[in-house]
């Protein structure tokens, strides 16, 4: 039977809570980074300290998706930036930056362990861990492996993570970072 | 020896502005640093410092005026600091100044962490012109 699918934009638009200031799903390429980054910069005059933190958290999370998402933007033979979802919510007392992306099940364990360790540490403990990791870093690797630690330092809040198993190969990994106003 | 000049850019991925002066030994790194190819970018800076240390061997004044850098940049910035420290340990004269917005306590802590890891003396100098906007 032929189906006539109509995407309901009205539902989509109003389904988002009022507090959602940005929502995006797609490749985290230059264009997306630029657009969302500039939008956050626009918020800065209202609350400079918190907005700068929102910006920093956004950059780290977005670059993680761009590099590590198991889902890539594929156009013909070209494999582009990683695909994921991002929502920034503006609550009365805090901002919440939420991202999600597919992750290979094999990579999941270390990420969860790292987040759990991070959530046991206070600010000084986090800074100490970051210094240790930076010191013993491998020159050849692109990243610094301190992204998650930096998120906790910048936001001054625990990392709230959630894993939804998808299939044998991958899961959907959500991370919520709260930034007090 | 040639100076190293890179005009920074602002928009999608941000490239810091670089001016390394071979004649005066004053090296400036300013702006924001979250690049697509962080390693390639910082390798050029490190290679210039290597050449300067080997062939010119005059004092170096390194001025950081970065208002934001991501974590992959932190790692590369640390390599610069470690190189400066090595030069100093081998008899080179090094002054490292880090200008930052006084209200930016996160940056203050970053500078302190770099100081602890590298053992290099870094002068943290408040500069209100570096307010982030």
């Amino acid at each position: 039977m032929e189906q006539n699918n109509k995407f309901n934009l009205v539902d989509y638009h109003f389904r988002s809570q009022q507090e959602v200031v940005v929502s995006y799903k797609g490749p985290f390429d230059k264009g997306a980074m630029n657009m969302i980054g500039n939008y956050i910069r626009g918020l800065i005059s209202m609350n400079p300290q918190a907005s700068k933190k929102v910006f920093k958290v956004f950059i780290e999370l977005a670059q993680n998706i761009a590099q590590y998402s198991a889902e890539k933007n594929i156009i013909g033979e070209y494999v582009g930036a990683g695909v994921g979802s991002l929502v920034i919510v503006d609550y009365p007392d805090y901002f919440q930056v939420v991202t999600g992306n597919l992750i290979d099940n094999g990579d999941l364990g270390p990420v969860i362990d790292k987040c759990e360790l991070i959530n046991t540490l206070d600010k000084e403990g986090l800074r100490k861990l970051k210094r240790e990791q930076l010191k013993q870093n491998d020159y050849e690797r692109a990243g610094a492996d301190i992204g998650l630690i930096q998120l906790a330092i910048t936001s001054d809040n625990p990392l709230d993570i959630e894993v939804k198993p998808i299939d044998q190969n991958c899961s959907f990994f959500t991370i919520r970072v709260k930034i007090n106003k | 020896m040639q100076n190293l000049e890179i005009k920074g850019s602002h928009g999608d991925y941000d490239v810091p502005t670089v001016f390394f002066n071979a004649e005066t030994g004053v090296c400036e790194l300013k702006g924001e640093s979250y690049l697509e190819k962080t390693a390639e970018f910082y390798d050029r800076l490190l290679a210039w410092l290597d050449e300067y240390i080997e062939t010119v061997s005059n004092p170096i004044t390194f001025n950081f005026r970065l208002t934001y850098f991501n974590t992959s940049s932190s790692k590369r910035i640390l390599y610069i600091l470690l190189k400066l420290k090595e030069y100093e340990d081998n008899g080179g004269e090094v002054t490292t100044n880090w200008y930052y917005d006084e209200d930016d306590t996160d940056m203050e802590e970053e500078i302190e962490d770099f100081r602890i890891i590298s053992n290099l003396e870094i002068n943290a100098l408040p500069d209100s012109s570096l307010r982030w906007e």
Side-chain angles (χ1 to χ4, degrees), chain A residues 8-172:
Chain A
N8 192 325
L9 195 70
V10 177
D11 275 1
Y12 170 79
H13 189 87
F14 291 101
R15 195 175 53 202
S16 309
Q17 296 155 282
Q18 243 179 332
E19 298 90 351
V20 172
V21 288
V22 176
S23 66
Y24 175 78
K25 180 198 172 191
F28 279 71
D29 55 12
K30 281 186 172 195
M33 302 281 289
N34 191 11
M35 178 185 67
I36 302 167
N38 283 335
Y39 179 82
I40 300 170
R41 284 172 194 274
L43 299 173
I44 282 171
S45 56
M46 289 178 277
N47 192 334
Q49 297 297 343
S51 308
K52 185 165 183 183
K53 285 177 184 285
V54 170
F55 181 82
K56 292 184 196 176
V57 164
F58 160 70
I59 292 289
E60 289 295 333
L61 288 172
Q63 290 189 332
N64 268 345
I65 295 175
Q67 265 188 293
Y68 302 118
S69 174
E71 185 182 355
K72 303 290 182 200
N73 184 33
I74 295 168
I75 306 157
E77 286 179 5
Y78 170 75
V79 180
V83 170
S85 281
L86 162 94
V87 174
I88 301 177
V89 196
D90 182 357
Y91 292 114
D93 299 329
Y94 58 91
F95 289 102
Q96 196 173 47
V97 185
V98 189
T99 62
N101 60 276
L102 286 178
I103 177 170
D104 287 335
N105 286 335
D107 298 333
L108 203 52
V111 174
I112 294 173
D113 290 350
K114 190 79 169 270
C115 291
E116 282 174 355
L117 169 66
I118 285 169
N119 288 342
T120 64
L121 299 171
D122 63 4
K123 180 80 167 275
E124 285 314 306
L126 288 167
R127 286 177 62 189
K128 190 161 173 273
L129 180 65
K130 177 183 153 185
R131 292 196 297 264
E132 283 165 7
Q133 302 251 307
L134 262 178
K135 212 171 181 172
Q136 54 189 235
N137 217 282
D138 177 0
Y139 188 89
E140 297 306 321
R141 282 180 56 90
D145 292 326
I146 55 166
L148 291 168
I149 308 170
Q150 189 63 53
L151 286 173
I153 293 175
T154 304
S155 67
D156 229 343
N157 275 304
L159 304 175
D160 176 3
I161 60 169
E162 203 177 307
V163 177
K164 183 182 162 57
I166 302 293
D167 58 28
Q168 277 180 314
N169 302 317
C170 62
S171 299
F172 193 79

Side-chain angles (χ1 to χ4, degrees), chain B residues 30-91:
Chain B
K30 66 176 179 184
E32 294 183 18
S33 180
Y34 56 105
L35 311 91
E36 226 179 348
K37 296 190 169 153
T38 317
E40 259 172 50
F41 178 86
Y42 280 95
D43 278 351
R44 279 182 70 190
L45 275 53
L46 291 163
W48 188 95
L49 286 170
D50 276 336
E51 193 190 336
Y52 180 90
I53 288 167
E54 270 173 45
T55 63
V56 182
S57 316
N58 280 338
I60 296 178
T61 300
F62 207 109
N63 296 322
F64 288 93
R65 294 175 196 276
L66 293 170
T67 49
Y68 169 64
F69 47 89
N70 66 352
T71 53
S72 23
S73 299
S74 314
K75 167 176 167 177
R76 307 287 155 179
I77 290 164
L78 177 62
Y79 291 137
I80 293 180
L81 299 171
L82 292 172
K83 193 166 290 299
L84 296 174
K85 175 66 181 157
E86 195 190 341
Y87 183 42
E88 194 179 65
D89 288 347
N90 293 327

